[in-house]
Every structure is written in structure tokens, then in C-alpha cells.
Amino acid sequence: MQEYFDTNKKLWDIKTDFHKESEFYDLENFKTGKNPLNKIELDALGDVSGKSLLHLQCHFGQDSLQWARMGAKVTGVDFSSKAIELAQNLNTELGLDAKFVESNVLELDQNLEGKFDIVFTSYGTVGWLPDLEKWAKVISHFLKPGGTFFIADFHPVLLMFDWDKKELSYPYFNTGEPFTEVEEGTYADRDAPIQLKEYFWLHGLSDIIRPLMANGMQLTDFQEFAESPYNCFPNMTPLENGMYYYGKRELKIPHVYAIKMKKV
Ligand SMILES: C[S@@+](CC[C@H](N)C(=O)[O-])C[C@H]1O[C@@H](n2cnc3c(N)ncnc32)[C@H](O)[C@@H]1O
């Protein structure tokens, strides 16, 4: 397993250098106040001020720092050293008080102490993780009783497509084995001069929800959306409301899901 994580960590370290310069992440406008969070997670978590919030797979911390700007006491976690270093620098530059920890999310219980009101993770998360049983244990471990877990991510049905070939190419459920690809460019900059090997896993919705339930979490809300807030896959079409869709609009392919749970 370590070989897979090492390969992916290298990929994310290199991607971070391109992402910080990309239009997609729009770092300059973020620094002057642009809110990078989407209505989906803003509506779901509401007023976060004064709450402790653990952000898993925080990348270089834009969303984490936004929650901090909104008054949450934020800890962001990612295994990319480059991403964590940039997040820490941005925190200092913006005069915020977020904390950032470099760790594999599946080993976080060995690298961080404390309990949180909210555990948050979003858009491009479980696909990098082979083991959602361990992931759910980590989430449960860090949540206070009564605390909230929230995830918004790309729908496993959307991830079945080869978006270039416009064909269904991947299984819905986890096969236990990783898929491997060499990605050219990155979702945030398709022309970036990089060709990077990656390992990823597919997880159906029940693969995601059941381990959370088995670790003391109760479902309080579940939504599916027929469009995405991000233009991050090939061949997506923009909508007038700023969202994007893939495929035939009349098929209403699910693009994003959002799960909210309460730790009992
Ligand atoms: C698509 S990004 C996160 C998305 C976030 N919404 C964003 O765009 O800023 C995925 C992140 O997961 C991190 N990651 C992947 N596998 C990980 C692991 N096993 N442990 C911790 N972080 C991991 C990567 O370093 C990357 O920063």
C-alpha cells in the first residue's frame, strides 16, 4: 500500500505548484476575500463561528482558510508536504489562526490529538483512499459526541465514465484493487507540462455510508445533484447558474453527492 501512497503524494506535491498559479484556484482573488466554498457545503454547515473544524484532505488550504475566515477554529490535514507548507504560508499571510498537519488521513489518529465539533471533507477525497473502514474510524475518533460529519464529493456514477471517450469504463463498486493511470496536465490546468502516475479507488455510495454508520454515525441528510460546481472533467458543459454537467442533460447523471451525519 505504501508504494501507492508514495506515488500519489509525489503527484500532489507536483500538482500543488501548478494549482497555486491556476485560474481554477484563483489564489489572488481568494487572498482578497473571494469565498471558494460552494452553496452545498455552506448551506449544510451553516454558522461555523466558534466551532472546531477538522478538514481532511485540505489540499493547500483554501477551503480550510475560508472556514477560518468565517470564525471556525480550523485544523487542516493533507499528506502533501508542499500543500501543507503553502497552506501554512497562506495562513500567516492572511493573519488567520488555522493549524495545518501533514499526515496520511488513514494514520491521523497517530499524528493529531483532540476532538472536533465538525469533520469536513470535499470534492476529490475518498477516491484516493483504499480503505474506508479505517477512514470512518478516523472520522469517528476525532468527532465529539453530537458532532457533525459532512462530505460533498463527485458521485460514483459520474466516476464510471471515461470522459474523453464518453463511455462507461469503470465499475461502480470498489474492486479492492487500485486503478492506475498516467494523467497529463491536471484538472486545474489541463496544459500543465506534467505526466503523472496515479493510483485511485472507486467506492459506491453504500461503500461510503455503511462504514460511517458502523462507527457510530447517524445519517441526518443526503442529497444528490445533477450538476457540478467544478469544470474539472473533460467535456463538461456550462449552465447559466455557474454549474457544469457532463453527458446528455436530459439523462440528469448524478454529479455530486452530499452526506451529513451526526456522531451519537
Ligand atoms: C482534490 S484535492 C482536495 C480537494 C479540495 N476540495 C481542493 O480542491 O482543494 C485531494 C487532496 O487529497 C490529498 N490526499 C490524497 N490522498 C491522501 C491521503 N491518503 N492522506 C491525506 N491526504 C491525501 C491530496 O494531497 C490532495 O491535496
Side-chain angles (χ1 to χ4, degrees):
M1 211 46 84
Q2 198 52 47
E3 183 207 328
Y4 303 143
F5 290 134
D6 290 346
T7 302
N8 285 347
K9 182 172 158 15
K10 188 170 149 207
L11 162 104
W12 283 103
D13 278 344
I14 295 170
K15 277 187 179 186
T16 301
D17 279 338
F18 289 93
H19 287 185
K20 70 180 182 207
E21 308 293 343
S22 68
E23 262 179 55
F24 185 97
Y25 280 98
D26 198 8
L27 190 49
E28 285 316 308
N29 283 323
F30 167 72
K31 286 184 190 173
T32 55
K34 183 180 168 194
N35 186 340
L37 296 169
N38 302 294
K39 191 172 181 320
I40 296 172
E41 52 269 23
L42 288 167
D43 286 353
L45 291 183
D47 181 7
V48 295
S49 70
K51 295 190 179 155
S52 52
L53 185 152
L54 176 64
H55 183 183
L56 303 178
Q57 295 177 251
C58 67
H59 199 28
F60 64 85
Q62 274 198 348
D63 290 358
S64 330
L65 294 167
Q66 180 59 35
W67 291 121
R69 285 204 284 222
M70 292 163 63
K73 289 173 270 169
V74 173
T75 302
V77 175
D78 203 283
F79 73 172
S80 158
S81 9
K82 284 263 188 169
I84 288 297
E85 191 188 334
L86 178 55
Q88 284 165 338
N89 290 342
L90 287 168
N91 181 58
T92 307
E93 187 179 339
L94 298 175
L96 295 165
D97 65 352
K99 195 174 131 189
F100 289 95
V101 178
E102 181 183 328
S103 173
N104 188 324
V105 76
L106 300 182
E107 294 167 359
L108 190 58
D109 47 350
Q110 297 159 42
N111 298 323
L112 178 69
E113 294 197 347
K115 301 281 177 192
F116 295 82
D117 298 310
I118 298 168
V119 176
F120 167 78
T121 194
S122 70
Y123 308 105
T125 60
V126 292
W128 302 105
L129 306 178
D131 182 356
L132 299 191
E133 304 286 336
K134 176 65 188 166
W135 174 74
K137 281 194 170 43
V138 167
I139 291 163
S140 181
H141 170 84
F142 283 105
L143 267 182
K144 291 180 188 170
T148 299
F149 171 64
F150 180 77
I151 178 170
D153 208 337
F154 300 108
H155 201 288
V157 168
L158 184 67
L159 302 181
M160 294 174 74
F161 287 93
D162 178 320
W163 302 291
D164 285 312
K165 291 190 191 149
K166 302 187 178 175
E167 283 171 3
L168 280 170
S169 301
Y170 296 98
Y172 178 82
F173 293 105
N174 189 3
T175 58
E177 293 299 318
F179 289 86
T180 184
E181 268 180 13
V182 176
E183 194 194 6
E184 290 198 26
T186 140
Y187 60 87
D189 178 0
R190 300 229 169 89
D191 299 325
I194 45 176
Q195 285 192 325
L196 298 166
K197 186 173 179 178
E198 62 185 31
Y199 290 100
F200 59 94
W201 291 263
L202 297 160
H203 303 283
L205 287 174
S206 55
D207 297 337
I208 298 163
I209 294 171
R210 286 173 61 86
L212 294 162
M213 290 172 73
N215 282 280
M217 249 90 60
Q218 256 175 11
L219 191 62
T220 56
D221 200 8
F222 173 59
Q223 294 187 74
E224 295 173 285
F225 301 89
E227 53 270 323
S228 162
Y230 297 107
N231 181 17
C232 59
F233 303 120
N235 293 316
M236 296 188 92
T237 307
L239 287 162
E240 276 180 5
N241 62 4
M243 305 283 270
Y244 299 85
Y245 70 92
Y246 173 80
K248 291 185 184 143
R249 186 63 180 149
E250 62 274 22
L251 289 180
K252 297 271 179 190
I253 295 167
H255 283 54
V256 165
Y257 67 88
I259 297 168
K260 190 172 176 183
M261 296 182 109
K262 180 177 173 178
K263 165 111 182 257
V264 286

